[in-house]
Amino acid sequence: MNISFQQTALITGASRGIGRAIARQLAGQGMFVYLSFRSNEAAAQKALDDIQTRNGRGALLRFDVTRQTECDAAVAAIIEQRGRLDILVNNAGIRDDHLFAMMKKPAWETVMNTHLNGFYHLTRPVVRQMLKQRCGRIINISSAAGQAGNAGQVNYSAAKAGIIGATKALAKEIGSRGITVNVVAPGFIETDMLTGMDLEKIKKEIPAGRLGQPEDVAAVVCFLCSDNAAYVNGQVIGVNGGLI
Ligand code: NAP
């Protein structure tokens, strides 16, 4: 599967940060990109304007990954407009950090709901479409926290580890139908998600000596969408400057 002019991608959480960089890079390769967001329409519109200024093609889709009906409607709208969906990047995410002993149930549930239920709500209708097409690429954005655990992030680490397990199982289920499912696991990437963290302390723990940029992650996602990655399935690729 070569990235081509006809291809269509859906990137969740593409209004900002890593998702925005992924959308920009995929659009730069000629793909039609749907940028999904939940609430920050101004940021999403700016991300789309930026793509269109560079002669890229795309559209905005507002939906909340925690809501099944909204995910179903989004996938249906894409199929109606484009006739197919070649690439899904499950990127939308949040964190709600607390030491576990102090963690209240809503912090646990919101993070699980966004990452794990969100994966279920959106990926299932997409897989049903990709099975009909007999091709597709699914890339799930996990985290170094899901691979190694992070103090203060028991909820987030559990959700991101769950994404890795789901990816490996799904890759085995549908790998024979021309569909690959892989994980990209970023370390610390300079986005809004790091707001409030001690970045100088974090930098000292990273062998590369710097925070990652959204483009560092987007480049690996683009590779997984390319023909060169056709035999890469069920894998976890870290983008973390050597952190773990
Ligand atoms: P970000 O800058 O905070 O952006 C988060 C994006 O997710 C926004 O577009 C937001 O939409 C969207 N979103 C949040 N909840 C949503 C929901 N319920 N439904 C639909 N969209 C929702 O985050 P980021 O740093 O780019 O993170 C992107 C992904 O990488 C996340 O899965 C995150 O866990 C993972 N990650 C990040 C880092 C890091 O260091 N930054 C490290 C490892 C993994 P609105 O703009 O509308 O709010």
Side-chain angles (χ1 to χ4, degrees):
M1 184 165 74
N2 280 311
I3 291 180
S4 79
F5 203 65
Q6 288 78 30
Q7 282 190 321
T8 300
L10 168 60
I11 304 105
T12 65
S15 54
R16 300 182 277 123
I18 294 170
R20 178 176 60 190
I22 294 169
R24 192 187 295 157
Q25 286 195 21
L26 288 176
Q29 299 194 20
M31 195 171 296
F32 188 98
V33 288
Y34 283 94
L35 286 72
S36 107
F37 67 104
R38 175 187 48 171
S39 55
N40 194 338
E41 185 163 9
Q45 187 60 52
K46 196 161 175 288
L48 179 61
D49 290 348
D50 181 41
I51 285 170
Q52 290 174 335
T53 303
R54 297 161 195 234
N55 295 321
R57 298 168 309 134
L60 298 183
L61 263 183
R62 181 184 208 141
F63 63 92
D64 187 331
V65 297
T66 67
R67 299 197 178 139
Q68 182 69 72
T69 49
E70 294 185 18
C71 290
D72 287 339
V75 176
I78 292 171
I79 303 311
E80 195 187 322
Q81 289 164 21
R82 303 279 308 164
R84 57 186 299 113
L85 180 56
D86 303 282
I87 287 161
L88 168 64
V89 185
N90 282 308
N91 166 80
I94 55 158
R95 68 181 179 90
D96 191 353
D97 302 349
H98 307 271
L99 291 174
F100 190 60
M102 312 297 169
M103 190 180 288
K104 302 265 188 332
K105 195 78 181 289
W108 176 265
E109 284 181 343
T110 311
V111 169
M112 290 298 159
N113 222 352
T114 304
H115 295 276
L116 277 180
N117 292 343
F119 167 84
Y120 173 84
H121 293 152
L122 187 61
T123 309
R124 194 168 156 275
V126 169
V127 163
R128 289 167 71 88
Q129 172 63 26
M130 287 179 173
L131 285 171
K132 283 188 214 155
Q133 297 170 185
R134 295 191 78 83
C135 72
R137 298 284 165 92
I138 299 171
I139 293 107
N140 299 317
I141 306 299
S142 176
S143 168
Q147 296 174 288
N150 206 13
Q153 294 192 319
V154 171
N155 51 357
Y156 183 82
S157 302
K160 290 303 201 184
I163 290 296
I164 292 174
T167 299
K168 287 180 173 288
L170 185 58
K172 286 183 177 161
E173 268 188 35
I174 61 179
S176 64
R177 310 291 188 90
I179 305 165
T180 66
V181 194
N182 289 290
V183 160
V184 174
F188 290 101
I189 310 297
E190 210 166 349
T191 71
D192 294 345
M193 194 170 269
L194 298 193
T195 303
M197 289 189 176
D198 185 345
L199 300 184
E200 288 314 310
K201 185 165 167 249
I202 287 170
K203 270 187 224 169
K204 288 189 189 126
E205 291 164 13
I206 303 170
R210 67 169 177 91
L211 299 170
Q213 293 304 308
E215 291 71 23
D216 294 323
V217 181
V220 176
V221 173
C222 277
F223 163 70
L224 289 171
C225 294
S226 75
D227 205 27
N228 290 333
Y231 202 57
V232 181
N233 195 16
Q235 303 305 303
V236 180
I237 305 181
V239 184
N240 59 40
L243 181 71
I244 60 164

